[in-house]
Amino acid sequence: MRRFLLQRAIRAVLTLAILSVVIFALARATGDPLTLILPPEASAEDRANVSQELGLDRPWVVQYGRFIGHVLVGDFGISLYHRQPVNELIRDRLPNSMRLAGFAMAVAILLAFPLGVLAAARKDTLFDRGDQVIAILGQSVPTFWLGVVLIETVASRLQWFPPGDIGGLDHYILPGFTLGWFVVAGMMRLLRSGMIEVLDAEYVKLARIKGVIERRVIWQHALKNALIPVVTFMGMYFAILVANAIVVETVFAWPGMGRLAYEAITTRDFPVIQAVVLVAALIVTVANLAIDALYVVIDPRIRHAG
């Protein structure tokens, strides 16, 4: 077991190391940030002075070495655009993304569980076909389009919920639903397929023969055993929601990590771009390690193989 988890941890560290090189190079491929920081009438001397002050005049190898050295001690540097420590920006924005992702996951669970279970219990019925249509739409409809439609109809015309920005619980409804819609589709299909397999198991058939009411068979006996793959994927889904909320947070003007990444890309703020991507990758990596550990606990074959 320890060997299995150690191998996964080593792979995770190597992945983060490779990603740091890739994002460092790609961030600088977006262009010269001085064109956005300095006014158009700035002289060559001004550009040279600012470049030297920000450390952009040094070779990329030197810049990368300084970047990694600071990251290893938990310092992501100073934002070129905001002119404040990147750690402060992350500390202000990350909780907002975590709360939105948590709300979106709650929405996904409340919708996916009853729909997925009932679709499996009523396999090949009109209800099941309707659920499959919902799942297809959830995985094919672009997130930005759904967000714009909700803002235009629900927020602007019907005025049921605020169109964006952070605030009370009502501010979470539209961005949370938009962010969680894809998760609803994936979780619902996963739960449906798991329930269909479990409902055909011998112990379920035996429970029916003994006269256990169908509702208890489905919700107590079958669901508990169909939850194993769903629970493991929920951790991964949550990490993806936190890491990939850039579209939803931009559409709804949500002050989270996704919007911070968008602002950093448009302003060529290298330190912020690097920090956001690495923090998002770290969240996904930790979630993967947690899921691997959970698999070791759930599946004895992995534990014995390790």
Side-chain angles (χ1 to χ4, degrees):
M1 177 177 175
R2 291 181 179 178
R3 182 180 177 184
F4 173 79
L5 294 178
L6 180 61
Q7 290 175 347
R8 292 297 189 274
I10 293 174
R11 292 178 185 177
V13 172
L14 291 176
T15 301
L16 290 175
I18 295 173
L19 180 63
S20 68
V21 177
V22 173
I23 191 58
F24 179 86
L26 290 179
R28 280 149 183 78
T30 59
D32 186 3
L34 296 182
T35 58
L36 300 176
I37 296 175
L38 297 175
E41 62 274 9
S43 64
E45 183 179 358
D46 293 334
R47 296 177 63 88
N49 291 334
V50 175
S51 180
Q52 182 179 11
E53 178 186 351
L54 298 177
L56 300 176
D57 61 329
R58 301 177 183 180
W60 279 20
V61 176
V62 176
Q63 293 185 43
Y64 178 75
R66 292 189 61 190
F67 162 63
I68 288 299
H70 288 136
V71 168
L72 291 178
V73 296
D75 180 14
F76 287 105
I78 303 297
S79 168
L80 303 180
Y81 181 77
H82 296 279
R83 303 304 298 157
Q84 68 180 101
V86 178
N87 288 19
E88 294 182 2
L89 296 174
I90 298 295
R91 187 168 57 248
D92 292 340
R93 302 293 188 94
L94 183 57
N96 295 334
S97 293
M98 296 288 285
R99 285 192 290 267
L100 181 60
F103 185 87
M105 180 59 69
V107 170
I109 292 173
L110 291 175
L111 293 178
F113 270 57
L115 291 176
V117 171
L118 293 177
R122 303 177 183 179
K123 181 183 175 183
D124 296 329
T125 64
L126 186 61
F127 184 89
D128 183 27
R129 295 189 181 94
D131 273 14
Q132 293 182 37
V133 171
I134 294 175
I136 293 173
L137 290 176
Q139 294 184 319
S140 60
V141 172
T143 304
F144 72 89
W145 182 84
L146 178 61
V148 171
V149 169
L150 290 177
I151 291 175
E152 175 64 24
T153 57
V154 179
S156 299
R157 297 186 181 181
L158 300 177
Q159 297 184 353
W160 287 352
F161 301 106
D165 206 357
I166 195 169
L169 182 61
D170 55 342
H171 287 77
Y172 285 78
I173 302 297
L174 295 185
F177 179 82
T178 304
L179 186 61
W181 181 242
F182 177 82
V183 182
V184 170
M187 194 180 298
M188 186 172 65
R189 296 184 66 175
L190 184 64
L191 187 59
R192 175 184 178 274
S193 61
M195 283 291 296
I196 290 176
E197 181 179 353
V198 172
L199 287 174
D200 287 335
E202 294 298 326
Y203 72 90
V204 173
K205 296 178 181 178
L206 181 60
R208 286 170 172 164
I209 293 174
K210 289 183 176 180
V212 180
I213 59 175
E214 187 67 13
R215 182 168 54 187
R216 187 176 179 183
V217 169
I218 294 173
W219 293 100
Q220 183 172 342
H221 295 278
L223 179 59
K224 180 174 61 176
N225 292 279
L227 281 180
I228 295 176
V230 179
V231 170
T232 55
F233 272 97
M234 280 172 58
M236 194 66 234
Y237 277 136
F238 181 79
I240 292 174
L241 290 179
V242 177
N244 297 334
I246 181 170
V247 174
V248 173
E249 292 184 359
T250 302
V251 170
F252 289 94
W254 189 268
M257 291 281 286
R259 191 180 177 193
L260 180 63
Y262 173 77
E263 295 170 351
I265 293 172
T266 56
T267 58
R268 300 172 187 169
D269 197 341
F270 299 159
V272 176
I273 295 175
Q274 295 162 178
V276 170
V277 174
L278 284 180
V279 170
L282 181 61
I283 293 174
V284 174
T285 301
V286 171
N288 271 321
L289 289 175
I291 291 172
D292 287 338
L294 187 59
Y295 272 131
V296 171
V297 175
I298 293 175
D299 195 339
R301 294 172 297 179
I302 299 177
R303 182 166 59 250
H304 295 319

